[in-house]
Amino acid sequence: MGQKFSHEGVNSEHTSYDQYEQEEEKHEEVNVDYMNEDDTNVEPMFDYHGFDEGDEDVCHFHFSDVDIAFEFYNRYARTKGFSARKNRTRKSRAGALKLKNFVCHREGFRPPNNYGIGNLKRKPTPETRCGCSAMMEIRVDAPSGRWFISYFSDEHNHPLLDPRLTGLLPGHRFMSEADIGHMVNMKKGGISVGQIYRALANQAGGYEYLSFTQKDMYNKIAKQRRQLPGDAYAALKYLEDQATNDPSLYYNHHMDADGTLRNLFWCDGLSRADYSLFGDVLAFNATYKRNKYMCPLVVFSGVNHYNQTIIFPTALFCDEKKDTYRWLLQQLKAAMNGKAPVSVITDGDLSMKFAIEKEFPNAHHRLCA
């Protein structure tokens, strides 16, 4: 049974919400600005180890705001083997918050919205709610503006977890900034996520003392990657940095209306010098989407006076359309100061043939063996 506590100005019985609403209408509205700015700590501190049902001093726990009260109850829940979540709220007519409930994570029942629906693509998650009645209710004291515990029940209708396993409950699973910092530093050092997880568990004294799982680490890493600039930005930044060391480096790119990188063309100073000497014969071919981006890669090549293969410009692009190949050949002419090859050797791609006829009309187009 829930323990009923007394507090000055508040009924000692655990009244219903409607009764409480009627009683509150008789009193003045809550003055939420009455709080002392320096009075922001919990009195007493988080001594939740002695916080049990039947403790009549529990009503003397005061909180400066609702978030601190919830943190207090959630920490208590972890020591007992469950997690807490926020439930019902009551506000005054002026819109000021005056009552808040925190309940066990197994309170209530799952809404029957999806029950009975056949041919579901995903298997329903296991039912976890069982109508648990454990809860803590806090109300605001109008004169002081502070929150106090008006009702507390620790009656659970389900087995409680071993406190060593409560860190796996969704309400307790989180990664602290220190853990994230350690993970990022070790990841930069080339350590795998599994090894990082074992190291953090060893540092904490065991896996049961970690408040996150290995899957949470993968999710955090993926989230950080989404927040950082992508590979396209990194490639452009790399070419920009290389241009400071190689003034003859030439690169250009093309983006669509959404800002997605479509085509990327680059050529360093050595390749430009080689083309000026041995660029009369130009061979180029596109790989068939062999990289992880599934984009064709074109390498322009030729041979020097020792009959050795030399590399001219290189390009990464999104498709093999006519306009794309024309854009590549235009960049080739720009990088090579307008010098056109005498002979061009390609495969039988029709888009290449069309682009060569448009951009190098005087060149001899031959097919490779």
Side-chain angles (χ1 to χ4, degrees):
M1 297 294 293
Q3 181 69 27
K4 303 172 178 61
F5 306 104
S6 61
H7 189 277
E8 184 178 357
V10 179
N11 194 328
S12 61
E13 296 295 329
H14 183 231
T15 57
S16 65
Y17 289 103
D18 295 335
Q19 293 174 342
Y20 177 72
E21 187 74 21
Q22 295 174 0
E23 292 177 4
E24 286 296 310
E25 291 179 354
K26 302 177 183 178
H27 302 280
E28 296 181 357
E29 299 293 346
V30 178
N31 184 7
V32 295
D33 298 328
Y34 182 80
M35 279 176 44
N36 189 346
E37 294 180 358
D38 297 332
D39 194 12
T40 58
N41 297 324
V42 177
E43 298 177 359
M45 294 299 289
F46 288 157
D47 187 16
Y48 44 80
H49 297 287
F51 178 69
D52 293 312
E53 183 178 8
D55 184 2
E56 296 182 356
D57 293 333
V58 74
C59 61
H60 299 300
F61 283 76
H62 292 80
F63 312 95
S64 59
D65 57 48
V66 175
D67 292 334
I68 293 180
F70 178 72
E71 181 184 358
F72 170 83
Y73 186 60
N74 202 31
R75 289 190 182 185
Y76 163 77
R78 180 162 187 171
T79 63
K80 293 297 182 179
F82 69 101
S83 66
R85 60 181 175 85
K86 298 177 182 179
N87 195 27
R88 297 182 179 179
T89 299
R90 283 295 185 185
K91 294 183 179 181
S92 64
R93 290 184 176 180
L97 187 64
K98 61 182 181 180
L99 181 144
K100 189 71 178 179
N101 273 0
F102 308 128
V103 298
C104 173
H105 71 288
R106 303 193 66 176
E107 182 270 346
F109 297 93
R110 177 183 295 176
N113 297 340
N114 297 329
Y115 287 165
I117 300 178
N119 300 325
L120 292 177
K121 294 183 179 180
R122 296 182 59 184
K123 183 179 179 180
T125 57
E127 177 64 79
T128 57
R129 298 193 181 186
C130 58
C132 181
S133 60
M135 64 171 291
M136 185 181 82
E137 178 185 275
I138 60 173
R139 302 183 186 184
V140 69
D141 180 48
S144 64
R146 296 179 64 84
W147 293 84
F148 65 92
I149 302 175
S150 59
Y151 180 80
F152 173 76
S153 173
D154 202 26
E155 182 179 358
H156 296 268
N157 62 351
H158 58 89
L160 298 177
L161 290 177
D162 188 314
R164 295 175 298 178
L165 301 177
T166 52
L168 301 178
L169 293 174
H172 299 304
R173 283 172 60 175
F174 71 97
M175 291 190 67
S176 64
E177 295 297 330
D179 293 331
I180 295 175
H182 288 316
M183 179 189 67
V184 171
N185 291 333
M186 287 189 283
K187 194 76 173 62
K188 290 180 179 178
I191 304 176
S192 66
V193 176
Q195 292 174 328
I196 296 174
Y197 186 67
R198 288 192 292 271
L200 294 177
N202 184 50
Q203 183 179 1
Y207 291 97
E208 64 271 16
Y209 297 106
L210 291 179
S211 59
F212 54 91
T213 63
Q214 190 168 332
K215 182 178 180 181
D216 296 328
M217 297 177 63
Y218 281 109
N219 292 337
K220 180 63 67 175
I221 293 173
K223 182 178 179 180
Q224 291 180 341
R225 286 177 177 174
R226 290 192 298 268
Q227 293 174 346
L228 295 175
D231 292 346
Y233 174 84
L236 294 176
K237 186 66 171 61
Y238 174 79
L239 292 174
E240 180 181 352
D241 295 339
Q242 291 298 311
T244 59
N245 301 324
D246 184 5
S248 299
L249 184 142
Y250 176 90
Y251 72 95
N252 200 355
H253 64 282
H254 170 68
M255 293 187 177
D256 59 12
D258 298 330
T260 303
L261 182 64
R262 305 286 294 179
N263 307 321
L264 180 62
F265 178 97
W266 69 94
C267 178
D268 60 12
L270 180 60
S271 297
R272 297 179 69 182
D274 288 340
Y275 184 87
S276 65
L277 298 174
F278 310 107
D280 290 340
V281 179
L282 177 68
F284 72 97
N285 188 19
T287 62
Y288 190 73
K289 302 180 181 179
R290 293 180 179 271
N291 50 69
K292 69 176 182 178
Y293 306 101
M294 300 301 291
C295 293
L297 176 68
V298 167
V299 178
F300 296 87
S301 61
V303 292
N304 59 14
H305 55 297
Y306 293 109
N307 202 28
Q308 296 173 337
T309 301
I310 54 177
I311 302 300
F312 298 142
T314 310
L316 190 68
F317 51 99
C318 60
D319 54 51
E320 297 183 80
K321 295 181 179 180
K322 296 178 181 180
D323 292 339
T324 303
Y325 278 118
R326 288 198 64 180
W327 182 87
L328 292 179
L329 296 183
Q330 290 171 1
Q331 300 307 314
L332 176 65
K333 290 192 297 183
M336 304 309 172
N337 300 319
K339 178 181 178 180
V342 177
S343 299
V344 180
I345 303 174
T346 69
D347 59 14
D349 189 270
L350 296 180
S351 298
M352 289 184 183
K353 180 177 182 297
F354 174 82
I356 293 171
E357 292 175 353
K358 293 295 184 181
E359 301 300 329
F360 300 139
N362 297 324
H364 301 284
H365 184 203
R366 296 293 183 264
L367 300 180
C368 62

